[in-house]
Amino acid sequence: MATIREINSIEEYNRFKEIKGIKVLKFSALWCGPCRVLTDTIKNIDTEKVNDVIFAEINIENEEFDNICAELGIRGIPVLAYYKDDEIKDKTTGLQSADAIISKIETLR
Protein backbone atom coordinates (compact mmCIF):
# COMPACT_ATOMS: atom_id res chain seq x y z
CA MET A 1 0.00 0.00 0.00
CA ALA A 2 1.53 3.31 -1.12
CA THR A 3 1.52 6.25 1.29
CA ILE A 4 0.86 9.88 0.43
CA ARG A 5 2.65 12.66 2.31
CA GLU A 6 0.78 15.88 2.97
CA ILE A 7 2.60 19.06 2.04
CA ASN A 8 1.28 21.93 4.15
CA SER A 9 3.74 24.76 3.55
CA ILE A 10 6.00 26.26 0.92
CA GLU A 11 8.99 25.07 2.95
CA GLU A 12 7.72 21.47 2.82
CA TYR A 13 7.13 21.84 -0.94
CA ASN A 14 10.67 23.11 -1.47
CA ARG A 15 12.10 20.19 0.55
CA PHE A 16 9.93 17.79 -1.50
CA LYS A 17 11.32 19.21 -4.75
CA GLU A 18 14.90 18.79 -3.52
CA ILE A 19 14.50 15.03 -3.00
CA LYS A 20 16.33 13.10 -5.71
CA GLY A 21 14.40 10.46 -7.63
CA ILE A 22 10.86 10.02 -8.88
CA LYS A 23 8.05 11.81 -7.11
CA VAL A 24 4.33 12.21 -7.81
CA LEU A 25 2.59 15.29 -6.45
CA LYS A 26 -1.21 15.30 -6.31
CA PHE A 27 -3.05 18.63 -6.36
CA SER A 28 -6.52 18.28 -4.86
CA ALA A 29 -9.14 19.69 -2.49
CA LEU A 30 -11.09 18.17 0.38
CA TRP A 31 -14.46 18.73 -1.32
CA CYS A 32 -13.36 17.04 -4.57
CA GLY A 33 -14.89 13.57 -5.03
CA PRO A 34 -12.56 12.51 -7.88
CA CYS A 35 -9.61 13.60 -5.73
CA ARG A 36 -10.69 11.21 -2.97
CA VAL A 37 -11.06 8.39 -5.49
CA LEU A 38 -7.58 9.13 -6.86
CA THR A 39 -6.17 9.03 -3.32
CA ASP A 40 -7.62 5.53 -2.88
CA THR A 41 -6.23 4.48 -6.27
CA ILE A 42 -2.73 5.63 -5.30
CA LYS A 43 -2.91 4.01 -1.87
CA ASN A 44 -3.89 0.70 -3.47
CA ILE A 45 -0.99 0.61 -5.95
CA ASP A 46 1.24 -2.40 -5.35
CA THR A 47 4.20 -0.99 -3.42
CA GLU A 48 6.58 -3.38 -5.15
CA LYS A 49 5.94 -1.47 -8.38
CA VAL A 50 6.52 1.96 -6.81
CA ASN A 51 8.80 1.25 -3.85
CA ASP A 52 11.26 3.95 -4.97
CA VAL A 53 8.58 6.60 -5.66
CA ILE A 54 7.47 9.32 -3.24
CA PHE A 55 3.82 10.37 -3.37
CA ALA A 56 2.72 13.68 -1.88
CA GLU A 57 -0.34 15.90 -1.91
CA ILE A 58 -1.12 19.60 -1.86
CA ASN A 59 -4.53 20.98 -0.91
CA ILE A 60 -5.10 23.78 -3.43
CA GLU A 61 -7.45 25.51 -1.01
CA ASN A 62 -4.40 26.49 1.04
CA GLU A 63 -3.76 30.03 -0.24
CA GLU A 64 -0.05 29.59 0.43
CA PHE A 65 0.08 27.48 -2.74
CA ASP A 66 -1.72 29.93 -5.06
CA ASN A 67 1.52 31.00 -6.77
CA ILE A 68 2.67 27.41 -7.27
CA CYS A 69 -0.69 26.42 -8.75
CA ALA A 70 -0.59 29.42 -11.09
CA GLU A 71 3.03 28.74 -12.07
CA LEU A 72 2.22 25.09 -12.87
CA GLY A 73 -1.02 25.91 -14.68
CA ILE A 74 -3.26 24.01 -12.25
CA ARG A 75 -6.78 24.96 -13.38
CA GLY A 76 -8.73 21.79 -12.59
CA ILE A 77 -8.30 18.99 -10.11
CA PRO A 78 -7.18 16.39 -9.46
CA VAL A 79 -3.78 16.86 -11.08
CA LEU A 80 -0.80 14.54 -10.79
CA ALA A 81 2.58 16.15 -11.43
CA TYR A 82 5.38 13.66 -12.14
CA TYR A 83 8.82 14.80 -11.04
CA LYS A 84 12.25 13.38 -11.74
CA ASP A 85 14.62 14.97 -9.27
CA ASP A 86 13.58 18.66 -9.12
CA GLU A 87 11.94 18.91 -12.55
CA ILE A 88 8.35 18.24 -13.60
CA LYS A 89 8.40 15.78 -16.48
CA ASP A 90 4.65 15.29 -17.00
CA LYS A 91 1.21 16.23 -15.65
CA THR A 92 -2.17 14.55 -15.88
CA THR A 93 -5.57 15.97 -15.00
CA GLY A 94 -8.56 13.98 -13.81
CA LEU A 95 -8.93 10.45 -12.55
CA GLN A 96 -6.14 8.05 -13.48
CA SER A 97 -6.05 4.30 -13.15
CA ALA A 98 -3.30 2.60 -11.16
CA ASP A 99 -1.96 1.16 -14.43
CA ALA A 100 -1.82 4.65 -16.00
CA ILE A 101 0.06 6.02 -12.98
CA ILE A 102 2.52 3.13 -13.00
CA SER A 103 3.01 3.56 -16.76
CA LYS A 104 3.88 7.26 -16.34
CA ILE A 105 6.30 6.37 -13.55
CA GLU A 106 7.97 3.74 -15.73
CA THR A 107 8.69 6.37 -18.41
CA LEU A 108 10.75 8.28 -15.80
CA ARG A 109 12.96 5.36 -14.82
Side-chain angles (χ1 to χ4, degrees):
M1 185 173 222
T3 59
I4 303 172
R5 299 178 183 186
E6 283 190 38
I7 295 178
N8 297 304
S9 69
I10 296 296
E11 293 79 21
E12 287 178 21
Y13 172 74
N14 289 332
R15 282 194 301 271
F16 168 83
K17 279 184 40 177
E18 292 172 0
I19 298 169
K20 296 293 182 199
I22 299 170
K23 305 172 293 261
V24 180
L25 182 57
K26 181 174 103 115
F27 292 84
S28 63
L30 296 175
W31 50 263
C32 172
C35 298
R36 290 191 299 272
V37 172
L38 187 56
T39 295
D40 291 340
T41 299
I42 292 169
K43 287 182 176 180
N44 288 313
I45 291 176
D46 182 357
T47 53
E48 288 183 22
K49 294 181 179 181
V50 294
N51 63 351
D52 59 336
V53 177
I54 296 170
F55 291 93
E57 177 176 28
I58 284 179
N59 181 348
I60 64 160
E61 292 183 297
N62 180 341
E63 292 178 1
E64 190 170 352
F65 297 114
D66 286 352
N67 288 340
I68 292 169
C69 290
E71 178 183 310
L72 298 178
I74 307 297
R75 289 176 176 55
I77 52 174
V79 168
L80 293 179
Y82 296 83
Y83 288 78
K84 176 125 187 209
D85 299 327
D86 63 347
E87 186 179 342
I88 291 180
K89 297 293 188 177
D90 203 352
K91 282 190 314 188
T92 58
T93 303
L95 283 176
Q96 305 294 312
S97 69
D99 289 340
I101 295 168
I102 292 167
S103 178
K104 289 278 187 194
I105 289 168
E106 289 299 323
T107 66
L108 300 177
R109 289 197 164 125

